[in-house]
Amino acid sequence: MNLILVWSNYFKEKKNKITFFLTLLFFIIISFYFKIFLTYVESWEHSLGVFNDPFFIIQPIDFSLYIFILTYGSLFFFFILNQLNPEKLMKLFHLVSILLILRSITLFLFRLDADPNMITLVDPILNTIFYQFNENTGMYNQHDLFFSGHIANLFTISLLYDNRKIKYFFFIITFIVAVLLVIQRAHYSIDVIFAPFFSV
């Protein structure tokens, strides 16, 4: 079906117009709130200290480029594949908004300090929209840890696919990104292990 026709039919119903508007408004408000919240996260005393991660067995390697490509490539593919499915796209925005709320709760409760050997992610989108540059450390946010937003969002996208082969393919992509994040020490293993549970 024609893309314009699908979305035109979707907006013919008043309920869908309201849903679309409220969904985007809610997502924008939550995203703005989360950006401000992350600033406070950086200023806190991280009372739980550094987690002695048993999976940190090799020196960290910078996989930022690969993580960026896999993460945003997966998101782009989801939007392309579901461009004729407004309800599915709205559901994704709902779930991502809820995940941001859940992450603000867990970041407040689990105040982990970053691993001293962490290689911060080079992510031009996150660094533009959410993260802020710390002039004292010369780095962007380091304490956006428990739980991993990358893995939670990727796992959510995987769950939303109806096709089992595509679903399992993106579960594998999610696992690969999780491993790369841990090797880079941008996240602890517990950050990526627990993220799918929040997605579910």
Side-chain angles (χ1 to χ4, degrees):
M1 286 183 72
N2 185 283
L3 180 64
I4 297 175
L5 181 62
V6 168
W7 282 90
S8 297
N9 289 335
Y10 176 77
F11 285 124
K12 281 180 181 177
E13 290 190 35
K14 184 179 180 181
K15 180 189 74 172
N16 290 339
K17 288 180 181 177
I18 296 172
T19 299
F20 182 84
F21 173 75
L22 291 179
T23 297
L24 290 187
L25 180 63
F26 183 64
F27 178 73
I28 291 169
I29 291 172
I30 292 299
S31 298
F32 183 71
Y33 148 77
F34 194 70
K35 175 184 174 68
I36 296 172
F37 178 78
L38 286 179
T39 304
Y40 288 110
V41 170
E42 290 300 306
S43 67
W44 290 340
E45 179 185 348
H46 296 88
S47 52
L48 293 179
V50 174
F51 176 62
N52 186 21
D53 200 316
F55 289 93
F56 287 176
I57 53 179
I58 63 172
Q59 287 299 309
I61 303 169
D62 190 351
F63 286 117
S64 293
L65 178 61
Y66 302 100
I67 293 168
F68 180 87
I69 291 171
L70 290 173
T71 301
Y72 293 100
S74 299
L75 189 60
F76 180 74
F77 182 81
F78 182 87
F79 275 93
I80 293 299
L81 200 67
N82 291 283
Q83 61 183 317
L84 300 179
N85 192 340
E87 289 83 5
K88 186 67 69 73
L89 294 178
M90 290 301 100
K91 180 176 282 190
L92 177 63
F93 276 99
H94 294 161
L95 295 174
V96 170
S97 299
I98 293 169
L99 282 170
L100 287 177
I101 295 171
L102 289 173
R103 292 189 68 220
S104 66
I105 294 171
T106 57
L107 286 171
F108 177 79
L109 295 175
F110 299 96
R111 301 187 181 189
L112 289 164
D113 203 355
D115 184 87
N117 296 312
M118 166 196 273
I119 299 176
T120 54
L121 284 172
V122 178
D123 187 322
I125 294 178
L126 277 181
N127 291 349
T128 301
I129 298 174
F130 287 112
Y131 292 161
Q132 294 184 2
F133 186 74
N134 187 326
E135 294 183 358
N136 295 325
T137 63
M139 292 187 287
Y140 286 91
N141 297 51
Q142 301 172 68
H143 298 96
D144 179 17
L145 296 170
F146 188 84
F147 55 94
S148 168
H150 282 79
I151 301 307
N153 290 328
L154 285 173
F155 199 82
T156 299
I157 289 171
S158 304
L159 290 172
L160 288 174
Y161 283 114
D162 297 318
N163 184 293
R164 290 183 69 180
K165 288 183 179 179
I166 296 177
K167 184 188 294 285
Y168 291 131
F169 174 78
F170 281 98
F171 280 147
I172 294 170
I173 294 294
T174 303
F175 176 77
I176 292 171
V177 173
V179 171
L180 296 181
L181 285 168
V182 172
I183 293 176
Q184 185 165 333
R185 302 196 187 185
H187 274 291
Y188 292 117
S189 58
I190 55 173
D191 302 336
V192 301
I193 290 170
F194 281 94
F197 293 98
F198 289 96
S199 299
V200 172

